[in-house]
Amino acid sequence: MAEILEPTNYNITRCKEHLECSEVVAVPTETVYGLAANALDEVAVKKIFEIKKRPLIDPLIVHVHSSNQTHLYAELNILAKKLIKEYWPGPLTLVLKKKSKIPDLVTASLPSVAIRSPQHPTFRKLLKALSFPLAAPSANPFGYISPTQTMHVQHSLGENIRYILNGGYSKLGIESTIIDVQDENKPTILRPGPITRDVLEQKFNRTFFSHKETSGNSAIPAPGLLDNHYSPKKPLMLIEEKDLQNLLSKNEHSKLKNCAIILNKRPKKLKAENLFWLSENGDLNEISKNLYHTLRQVDESQYSILYIQEIEMIHLGVALMDRIRKAAN
Ligand code: TXA
Ligand code: MG
């Protein structure tokens, strides 16, 4: 089992020293927990892939403490600088042209690198103490649900890592937005996330393309393109809005005893043990914060089939449905 370390200065130093020995540490971020290692050290980075059982063709995100460090690892254009100014530190990852300091192992030999500066204060303290950036994918076995608290990491990777740095419950609950800004005229959202397309377009008064709109022109593999991503072990079915009432009435008649049903908000009247909900009133931020925890909870429950209600595709709903669709695949 891994040791869960409270975020004291002493423990942050222990993590730092461990990382300096080419080892990995699970770290809290505002999005999901990450499995971190020295991004400039191939021996260390290799351990991330091994522990996660992640294929080497899936590149990692490099985390920096300060935006000032970005130019060491990537080429910045004007749009990238503006996005950094607006959203860092925060849940925004930029795909930029890579510089040679970043080993090919990190980027799966792509000519680009994904970089972000995270917001979580404990992760920032650790990054500040280090003389190198940290490569960190989500701290889950490849293909499984991302972790939003230390117990999730302990459960699925605890046997294989020494330390999990405790940063509490991840406040956003889903992974960062990834934008490919290599072509300034065609910024492309490779993975929708907490910084939403509508907010970006309004702020910058321009189009941000979705990956679907630009794919075809790019050889870069899209993040999460692999079908079975963020998936529970049990079958997960999407409930369309039109089928919801029917399903709930079937449930009333105990025809779905075997199934867990995840709703967007607390049901007003219905009471049944197999009903779960992601928020009190349908608030998208609350749904986001609870999504992965609830998926893990039902995956470990006695129910053998899982249902989840679809979410309206507006604002953060786009990112949430992206994750849910992949989980339900
Ligand atoms: O919120 C997050 O981004 C979390 C926390 C830990 O920072 N990290 C995270 O990492 O979600 P990961 O490895 O689970 O997802 C990163 C995605 C992968 O799907 C990968 O394919 C994509 O980013 N990616 C990394 N480098 C890329 C690149 N150069 N071009 C295109 N996609 C890239
Ligand atoms: Mg991941």
Side-chain angles (χ1 to χ4, degrees), residues 49 51-55 58 137-147 156-157 175 224 226-234 292 295-296 299 323 326-329:
F49 284 97
I51 292 170
K52 275 186 63 96
K53 299 197 167 61
R54 178 175 173 122
D58 198 359
S138 49
N140 50 283
F142 181 70
Y144 196 57
I145 306 160
S146 296
S156 37
L157 297 179
E175 303 82 352
L226 301 154
D227 276 348
N228 251 338
H229 226 74
Y230 318 104
S231 302
K233 296 179 190 108
K234 294 175 183 168
Y292 288 154
L295 282 175
R296 279 184 180 249
D299 206 24
R323 306 305 190 277
K326 282 171 184 151
N329 228 326

Coordinates of all heavy atoms in Angstrom, one line a residue, residues 49 51-55 58 137-147 156-157 175 224 226-234 292 295-296 299 323 326-329:
F49 N 4.5 4.9 -17.4 CA 3.9 4.1 -18.4 C 3.7 2.6 -17.9 O 2.6 2.0 -18.1 CB 4.7 4.0 -19.7 CG 4.5 5.3 -20.5 CD1 5.5 6.3 -20.5 CD2 3.5 5.5 -21.4 CE1 5.4 7.4 -21.2 CE2 3.3 6.6 -22.2 CZ 4.3 7.6 -22.1
I51 N 3.6 1.6 -14.6 CA 2.6 1.5 -13.5 C 1.2 1.6 -14.0 O 0.3 0.9 -13.6 CB 2.9 2.6 -12.5 CG1 4.3 2.3 -11.8 CG2 1.8 2.7 -11.4 CD1 4.8 3.4 -10.9
K52 N 0.9 2.5 -15.0 CA -0.4 2.7 -15.5 C -0.8 1.6 -16.6 O -1.9 1.6 -17.0 CB -0.5 4.1 -16.2 CG -0.8 5.2 -15.3 CD -1.0 6.5 -16.1 CE -2.2 6.5 -17.0 NZ -3.4 7.0 -16.5
K53 N 0.2 0.9 -17.0 CA 0.0 0.0 -18.2 C -0.5 0.8 -19.4 O -1.5 0.4 -20.0 CB -0.9 -1.2 -17.8 CG -0.4 -2.1 -16.7 CD -1.2 -3.4 -16.7 CE -0.5 -4.4 -15.8 NZ -0.4 -4.0 -14.4
R54 N 0.1 1.9 -19.5 CA -0.3 2.8 -20.6 C 0.5 2.5 -21.8 O 1.8 2.4 -21.7 CB -0.1 4.2 -20.1 CG -0.5 5.3 -21.1 CD -0.3 6.7 -20.4 NE -0.4 7.8 -21.2 CZ -1.4 8.8 -21.0 NH1 -2.2 8.7 -20.0 NH2 -1.4 9.9 -21.7
P55 N -0.1 2.5 -23.0 CA 0.8 2.2 -24.2 C 1.7 3.4 -24.5 O 1.3 4.6 -24.3 CB -0.3 2.1 -25.4 CG -1.6 2.6 -24.8 CD -1.5 2.6 -23.3
D58 N 0.8 6.9 -26.3 CA -0.1 7.9 -25.7 C 0.7 8.9 -24.9 O 1.2 8.6 -23.8 CB -1.2 7.2 -24.8 CG -2.4 8.0 -24.5 OD1 -2.4 9.2 -25.0 OD2 -3.3 7.6 -23.8
P137 N 0.2 12.0 -16.1 CA -1.1 11.6 -16.6 C -2.0 11.4 -15.4 O -1.5 11.5 -14.2 CB -0.9 10.3 -17.3 CG 0.3 9.6 -16.5 CD 1.1 10.8 -16.0
S138 N -3.3 11.2 -15.6 CA -4.2 10.9 -14.5 C -3.7 9.6 -13.8 O -3.2 8.7 -14.5 CB -5.6 10.7 -15.0 OG -5.7 9.9 -16.1
A139 N -3.9 9.5 -12.5 CA -3.3 8.4 -11.7 C -4.2 7.2 -11.6 O -4.6 6.8 -10.5 CB -2.9 8.9 -10.3
N140 N -4.6 6.7 -12.8 CA -5.5 5.5 -12.8 C -4.8 4.5 -13.8 O -4.1 4.9 -14.6 CB -6.9 5.9 -13.3 CG -6.8 6.7 -14.6 OD1 -6.5 7.9 -14.6 ND2 -7.0 6.1 -15.8
P141 N -5.2 3.2 -13.6 CA -4.7 2.3 -14.6 C -5.3 2.7 -16.0 O -6.4 3.2 -16.0 CB -5.3 0.9 -14.2 CG -5.7 1.1 -12.7 CD -6.0 2.6 -12.6
F142 N -4.5 2.5 -17.0 CA -5.0 2.9 -18.3 C -6.4 2.4 -18.7 O -6.7 1.3 -18.5 CB -4.0 2.4 -19.4 CG -4.3 2.8 -20.8 CD1 -4.2 4.1 -21.2 CD2 -4.8 1.9 -21.7 CE1 -4.5 4.5 -22.4 CE2 -5.2 2.3 -23.0 CZ -5.0 3.6 -23.4
G143 N -7.2 3.4 -19.1 CA -8.6 3.0 -19.5 C -9.6 3.1 -18.4 O -10.8 3.1 -18.6
Y144 N -9.2 3.1 -17.1 CA -10.1 3.2 -16.0 C -10.5 4.6 -15.6 O -9.9 5.6 -16.2 CB -9.6 2.4 -14.8 CG -10.7 2.0 -13.8 CD1 -11.8 1.3 -14.1 CD2 -10.6 2.5 -12.4 CE1 -12.8 1.0 -13.2 CE2 -11.6 2.2 -11.5 CZ -12.7 1.5 -11.9 OH -13.7 1.2 -11.0
I145 N -11.4 4.7 -14.7 CA -11.9 6.1 -14.3 C -10.8 6.9 -13.6 O -10.1 6.3 -12.7 CB -13.1 5.9 -13.3 CG1 -14.2 4.9 -14.0 CG2 -13.7 7.2 -12.9 CD1 -15.1 4.3 -13.0
S146 N -10.7 8.2 -13.9 CA -9.7 9.0 -13.3 C -10.0 9.2 -11.8 O -11.2 9.2 -11.4 CB -9.6 10.4 -14.0 OG -9.2 10.2 -15.3
P147 N -8.9 9.4 -11.0 CA -9.1 9.5 -9.5 C -9.3 11.0 -9.1 O -8.7 11.9 -9.6 CB -7.8 9.0 -9.0 CG -6.8 9.3 -10.0 CD -7.5 9.3 -11.4
S156 N -6.5 1.8 -6.8 CA -6.1 1.1 -8.1 C -4.6 1.1 -8.3 O -4.2 0.3 -9.2 CB -6.9 1.8 -9.3 OG -7.1 3.1 -9.1
L157 N -3.8 2.0 -7.7 CA -2.4 1.9 -7.9 C -1.5 1.8 -6.7 O -0.3 1.8 -6.7 CB -1.9 3.2 -8.7 CG -2.5 3.4 -10.1 CD1 -2.0 4.7 -10.6 CD2 -2.2 2.3 -11.0
E175 N -10.8 16.1 -16.2 CA -9.4 16.5 -16.7 C -9.5 17.9 -17.5 O -10.5 18.3 -18.0 CB -8.9 15.5 -17.7 CG -8.8 14.1 -17.1 CD -10.1 13.3 -17.1 OE1 -11.1 13.9 -17.5 OE2 -10.0 12.1 -16.8
G224 N -7.6 10.7 -25.8 CA -8.9 10.0 -25.5 C -9.5 9.4 -26.8 O -10.7 9.1 -26.8
L226 N -8.9 6.7 -28.1 CA -9.1 5.3 -27.8 C -10.5 5.1 -27.2 O -10.9 5.9 -26.4 CB -8.0 4.8 -26.8 CG -6.6 5.0 -27.4 CD1 -5.6 5.1 -26.2 CD2 -6.3 3.9 -28.3
D227 N -11.2 4.2 -27.7 CA -12.7 4.1 -27.4 C -12.9 3.8 -25.9 O -13.8 4.5 -25.4 CB -13.3 2.9 -28.2 CG -13.7 3.4 -29.6 OD1 -13.7 4.7 -29.8 OD2 -14.0 2.6 -30.5
N228 N -12.2 2.9 -25.4 CA -12.6 2.5 -24.0 C -11.7 3.4 -23.0 O -10.7 3.0 -22.6 CB -12.3 1.0 -23.7 CG -13.6 0.3 -23.6 OD1 -14.6 0.9 -23.3 ND2 -13.6 -1.0 -23.8
H229 N -12.3 4.5 -22.6 CA -11.5 5.4 -21.8 C -12.4 5.8 -20.6 O -13.6 5.9 -20.8 CB -11.3 6.7 -22.6 CG -9.9 7.1 -22.5 ND1 -8.8 6.5 -23.1 CD2 -9.3 8.2 -21.9 CE1 -7.7 7.1 -22.9 NE2 -8.0 8.1 -22.1
Y230 N -11.9 6.0 -19.5 CA -12.6 6.5 -18.3 C -13.7 5.4 -17.9 O -14.7 5.8 -17.4 CB -13.3 7.8 -18.6 CG -12.5 8.8 -19.3 CD1 -12.7 9.1 -20.6 CD2 -11.5 9.6 -18.6 CE1 -12.0 10.1 -21.3 CE2 -10.7 10.5 -19.3 CZ -11.0 10.8 -20.6 OH -10.2 11.7 -21.3
S231 N -13.5 4.2 -18.3 CA -14.6 3.2 -18.2 C -14.6 2.4 -16.9 O -13.6 1.9 -16.5 CB -14.5 2.2 -19.3 OG -14.5 2.9 -20.6
P232 N -15.8 2.3 -16.4 CA -16.0 1.3 -15.3 C -15.9 -0.1 -15.8 O -15.9 -0.3 -17.0 CB -17.4 1.6 -14.8 CG -18.1 2.4 -15.8 CD -17.1 3.0 -16.7
K233 N -15.7 -1.0 -14.8 CA -15.6 -2.4 -15.3 C -16.9 -3.0 -15.7 O -17.0 -3.9 -16.5 CB -15.0 -3.3 -14.1 CG -13.6 -2.8 -13.7 CD -13.0 -3.6 -12.6 CE -11.7 -3.0 -12.1 NZ -11.9 -2.4 -10.7
K234 N -18.0 -2.5 -15.1 CA -19.3 -3.0 -15.4 C -19.9 -2.3 -16.6 O -19.5 -1.2 -16.9 CB -20.2 -2.8 -14.2 CG -19.8 -3.6 -13.0 CD -20.6 -3.3 -11.8 CE -20.1 -4.1 -10.6 NZ -20.7 -3.6 -9.4
Y292 N -16.8 11.2 -11.4 CA -15.9 10.0 -11.3 C -16.0 9.3 -10.0 O -15.9 8.1 -10.0 CB -14.4 10.5 -11.5 CG -14.1 10.9 -12.9 CD1 -13.1 11.8 -13.2 CD2 -14.8 10.4 -14.0 CE1 -12.8 12.1 -14.5 CE2 -14.5 10.7 -15.3 CZ -13.5 11.6 -15.6 OH -13.2 11.9 -16.9
L295 N -19.1 7.2 -10.3 CA -18.9 6.0 -11.2 C -18.1 4.9 -10.5 O -18.4 3.7 -10.7 CB -18.1 6.5 -12.5 CG -19.0 7.2 -13.6 CD1 -18.1 7.7 -14.7 CD2 -20.1 6.3 -14.1
R296 N -17.1 5.3 -9.7 CA -16.3 4.3 -9.0 C -17.2 3.6 -8.0 O -17.1 2.4 -7.8 CB -15.1 5.0 -8.3 CG -13.9 5.2 -9.3 CD -12.7 5.8 -8.5 NE -11.6 6.0 -9.4 CZ -10.5 5.3 -9.4 NH1 -10.3 4.3 -8.5 NH2 -9.5 5.5 -10.3
D299 N -19.5 1.2 -9.5 CA -18.7 0.1 -10.1 C -18.3 -0.9 -9.0 O -18.1 -2.1 -9.3 CB -17.4 0.7 -10.8 CG -16.9 -0.2 -11.9 OD1 -17.7 -1.0 -12.4 OD2 -15.7 -0.2 -12.2
R323 N -16.9 12.6 -21.5 CA -16.4 11.6 -20.6 C -17.4 10.4 -20.5 O -17.1 9.3 -20.5 CB -16.1 12.1 -19.2 CG -15.2 13.3 -19.2 CD -13.8 13.1 -19.9 NE -12.9 14.1 -19.6 CZ -12.9 15.3 -20.2 NH1 -13.7 15.5 -21.3 NH2 -12.0 16.2 -19.9
K326 N -17.5 8.1 -23.5 CA -16.4 7.2 -23.6 C -16.5 6.2 -22.5 O -16.2 5.0 -22.8 CB -15.1 8.0 -23.4 CG -14.7 8.7 -24.7 CD -13.6 9.7 -24.6 CE -13.4 10.4 -25.9 NZ -12.8 11.7 -25.7
A327 N -17.0 6.5 -21.3 CA -17.1 5.6 -20.3 C -18.2 4.5 -20.6 O -18.1 3.4 -20.3 CB -17.6 6.3 -19.0
A328 N -19.2 4.9 -21.4 CA -20.3 4.0 -21.7 C -20.0 3.2 -23.0 O -20.8 2.3 -23.3 CB -21.5 4.9 -22.0
N329 N -18.9 3.4 -23.6 CA -18.6 2.7 -24.9 C -18.5 1.2 -24.7 O -17.9 0.7 -23.8 CB -17.3 3.2 -25.4 CG -17.4 3.6 -26.9 OD1 -18.2 2.9 -27.6 ND2 -16.7 4.6 -27.3

